[in-house]
């Protein structure tokens, strides 16, 4: 290996390391603030970039493996975070499979190659598209939250399980005024239950569609969740239904009457 070839390979390795470091920093600092729609799109654009590398550089097989990994990741993430419906999900999966197998066939079997100028043009287009998506996403603050605490809560007479008993004490709504599907972050909350003698602290969850961890809301959509506490069965058995529910800035140290006090932190700020 002559000095010129060694220098070129060292330069390529250094460029690859810089690119990986830049992606890692971007994913850590910016990624969590992006909508799930843009996150999915960035996976797909990264896959396209890997495909360009496979059709341009000597590292064809490695770049194709990276392309396949990113394509599967993009398709899986998009399907798990967006509501396409049954037929839509099947169609989306078929399209992703065709894109994966078709690109691998063209580049690996047919040995399709991009000229340097063509590759640069494609990279520029991908970079501009990525930047436009990120700028459009970060330039908006589309989510609005509203939390309502009920005046009383019904206590189940027969919980039917050995674990904590879910008790709905209010509702929370998040509205999305933008076209992208956005990540949901309901305000942190906690509660304390007084049975007239003792105080029991309990976590608060936001339940919707059988899940206590709603993750996203669709574009121009609204999501409603039940503000739910998980009360120990021994505490539930000591309460009389319906039990009064109050919202406060903090839980009192003690109370001589039965009640549930819910503390909801300030609604999250979505300014980016």
């Amino acid at each position: 290996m002559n000095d010129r070839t060694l220098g070129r390979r060292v330069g390529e390795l250094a460029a690859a390391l810089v690119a990986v470091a830049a992606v890692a920093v971007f994913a850590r600092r910016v990624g969590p603030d992006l909508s799930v729609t843009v996150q999915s799109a960035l996976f797909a654009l990264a896959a396209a970039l890997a495909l360009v590398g496979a059709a341009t550089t000597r590292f064809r097989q490695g770049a194709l493996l990276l392309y396949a990994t990113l394509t599967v990741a993009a398709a899986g993430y998009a399907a798990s975070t967006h509501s396409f419906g049954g037929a839509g999900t099947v169609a989306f999966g078929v399209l992703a499979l065709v894109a994966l197998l078709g690109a691998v066939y063209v580049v690996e079997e047919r040995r399709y190659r991009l000229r340097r100028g063509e590759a640069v043009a494609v990279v520029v287009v991908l970079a501009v598209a990525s930047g436009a998506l990120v700028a459009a996403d970060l330039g908006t603050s589309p989510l609005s939250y509203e939390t309502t605490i009920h005046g009383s809560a019904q206590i189940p007479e027969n919980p039917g399980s050995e674990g904590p008993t879910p008790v709905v004490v209010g509702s929370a709504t998040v509205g999305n005024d933008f076209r992208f599907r956005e990540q949901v972050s309901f305000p942190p909350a906690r509660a304390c239950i007084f049975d007239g003698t003792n105080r029991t602290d309990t976590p608060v969850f936001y339940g919707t569609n059988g899940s206590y961890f709603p993750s996203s809301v669709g574009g121009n959509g609204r999501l409603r969740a039940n503000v739910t506490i998980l009360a120990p069965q021994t505490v539930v058995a000591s309460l009389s239904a319906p039990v009064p529910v109050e919202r406060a800035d903090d839980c009192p140290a003690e109370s001589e009457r039965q009640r549930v006090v819910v503390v909801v932190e300030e609604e999250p700020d979505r300014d980016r």
Side-chain angles (χ1 to χ4, degrees), residues 55-80:
T56 307
T57 68
R58 298 190 305 272
F59 310 107
R60 183 179 65 255
Q61 293 183 341
L64 280 177
L65 178 60
L66 179 60
Y67 165 74
T69 302
L70 290 172
T71 299
V72 171
Y77 186 67
S80 65

Side-chain angles (χ1 to χ4, degrees), residues 100-214:
L100 174 60
L101 297 180
V104 171
Y105 173 76
V106 170
V107 175
E108 179 65 20
E109 298 297 329
R110 305 292 294 182
R111 292 295 194 270
Y112 179 78
R113 302 286 292 178
L114 283 175
R115 299 184 179 89
R116 183 177 298 273
E118 295 172 338
V120 170
V122 174
V123 169
V124 170
V125 170
L126 293 176
V128 170
S130 301
L133 284 172
V134 172
D137 196 18
L138 295 181
T140 63
S141 300
L143 297 186
S144 58
Y145 294 85
E146 182 179 356
T147 305
T148 302
I149 301 301
H150 300 332
S152 62
Q154 295 294 330
I155 304 297
E157 296 182 359
N158 299 307
S161 64
E162 297 181 357
T165 301
V167 178
V168 177
V169 296
S171 64
T173 303
V174 54
N176 181 8
D177 297 330
F178 198 52
R179 64 179 63 91
F180 295 155
R181 176 171 286 272
E182 295 283 345
Q183 300 180 77
V184 170
S185 178
F186 283 110
R190 54 191 172 87
C192 46
I193 307 173
F194 296 94
D195 61 5
T197 304
N198 301 310
R199 163 181 161 172
T200 302
D201 295 332
T202 178
V204 173
F205 297 93
Y206 295 90
T208 178
N209 297 327
S211 171
Y212 287 119
F213 302 98

Side-chain angles (χ1 to χ4, degrees), residues 4-123:
R4 183 176 180 181
T5 302
L6 177 61
R8 183 170 63 250
R9 292 191 176 183
V10 170
E12 291 174 348
L13 178 60
L17 292 176
V18 170
V20 170
V23 170
V25 171
F26 177 84
R28 180 180 178 84
R29 295 189 177 182
V30 181
D33 292 330
L34 297 175
S35 66
V36 293
T37 299
V38 171
Q39 290 175 346
S40 301
L42 290 180
F43 270 120
L45 291 171
L49 185 61
L51 186 61
V52 171
T56 307
T57 68
R58 298 190 305 272
F59 310 107
R60 183 179 65 255
Q61 293 183 341
L64 280 177
L65 178 60
L66 179 60
Y67 165 74
T69 302
L70 290 172
T71 299
V72 171
Y77 186 67
S80 65
T81 55
H82 294 73
S83 300
F84 296 126
T89 300
V90 172
F92 181 75
V94 170
L95 288 175
L97 184 61
V98 169
L100 174 60
L101 297 180
V104 171
Y105 173 76
V106 170
V107 175
E108 179 65 20
E109 298 297 329
R110 305 292 294 182
R111 292 295 194 270
Y112 179 78
R113 302 286 292 178
L114 283 175
R115 299 184 179 89
R116 183 177 298 273
E118 295 172 338
V120 170
V122 174
V123 169

